[in-house]
Each structure stands twice: as structure tokens, then as C-alpha cells.
Amino acid sequence: MKRNTLLLSAALVVSALGGASAQRGGPPGRGGPPGGRCAMTADSLTDAQKAHVRSLADAFTQAHTAQLDSLRAIMQAASAARQAGQTPEQVRAIMEQGRAINESLTPARKEFHDNVVKLLTQAQVDAGCIPPAPGGPPGGRRGGPPPPSER
């Protein structure tokens, strides 16, 4: 139960940061934005790749504005409840409202991911330079490199 709540929390927090900021770059290994570990390395995305990822992110954001706005509102309500001193159970109940919305975005996030992978070189994919869909959880996996792509 706690694991699901943490996953939902992470998704909601990221959705609040969302928008079309899929590829801003940042220092590798410093907790920067997704894809930041590849910034300023040989595996960095080219300007053309960044522009294409931005256009995919913009299209995703436009197509799913209502869902992303709803997730953002739920996250803000949970944050306000936490600041108002409500119990963790009450905050979890608020955040639980976003589960169905978040799950409904899963196929669209996978499609975004697959389209981005098609733009990248195998070295970029292997290095984990895959930006996540706007409003989604950070890309990559903890504890290891990304799974092999099916190109």
C-alpha cells in the first residue's frame, strides 16, 4: 500500500513540474532534470533531436491537458492538506483520486517513450538519455541501465 502511494506521489509531483520541459539538460549525476545525465557528453541529444522531443512533448501536453491539469490539482490539494496538518491517511486519500487518471495516461506515455526512442541512437538509449513524457514519472530505472530497446 505504501509503495503504491509513494509511486502515485512521485507521479503527481512530477506532473506538477510537467509541461514541455522534457529536455533541459543539467549536470550528470546531480539530480538534474530527466535526461540530464547525458547532457554535455558524447551521448547528448543533438539540437534536432531536442527540437523533435520538444514537439512530441508539446503534442503530448496538448492532447492530455485535462488529465495533467487534474493530476496537478490533486497534487496541490494533497500538499495543502499536508500543510494544514491533516493525517497521512487523509493526504493519501486525496492523492488516491489521481490513480485512475494516472493509469489512463499509461498507454500515451508508452507511445511517447517509443516515439522518442526511435529518434535516438543506440548509444543514447543505452546511456539512458530517454526523456520521460511530460507529467510522468522520471525516466529510466533505479538500480541499473534502461532495459534493452526493441528497435
Side-chain angles (χ1 to χ4, degrees):
M1 177 78 174
K2 278 189 176 184
R3 180 175 180 267
N4 288 341
T5 301
L6 290 174
L7 289 173
L8 181 60
S9 299
L12 292 173
V13 168
V14 171
S15 72
L17 303 174
S21 60
Q23 191 63 26
R24 283 195 198 139
R30 298 260 175 144
R37 69 182 136 204
C38 299
M40 309 305 285
T41 69
D43 296 321
S44 295
L45 273 63
T46 65
D47 289 340
Q49 287 172 317
K50 289 177 187 178
H52 202 142
V53 167
R54 259 190 303 281
S55 71
L56 289 171
D58 289 344
F60 181 94
T61 300
Q62 288 176 0
H64 303 288
T65 299
Q67 294 99 324
L68 295 173
D69 288 347
S70 294
L71 287 173
R72 192 173 298 111
I74 291 167
M75 192 280 305
Q76 289 170 345
S79 178
R82 193 175 305 110
Q83 290 174 355
Q86 291 191 11
T87 67
E89 292 78 24
Q90 292 170 315
V91 173
R92 266 188 229 106
I94 293 169
M95 290 173 36
E96 187 66 29
Q97 297 170 14
R99 179 184 299 275
I101 299 168
N102 207 21
E103 289 174 357
S104 74
L105 287 172
T106 298
R109 287 185 180 128
K110 180 175 178 356
E111 180 182 359
F112 175 88
H113 176 272
D114 294 346
N115 287 334
V116 170
V117 167
K118 291 176 188 175
L119 298 173
L120 305 179
T121 66
Q122 189 60 48
Q124 290 169 324
V125 172
D126 292 344
C129 300
I130 306 168
R141 296 178 336 156
R142 289 185 178 208
S149 68
E150 297 175 21
R151 291 186 136 201

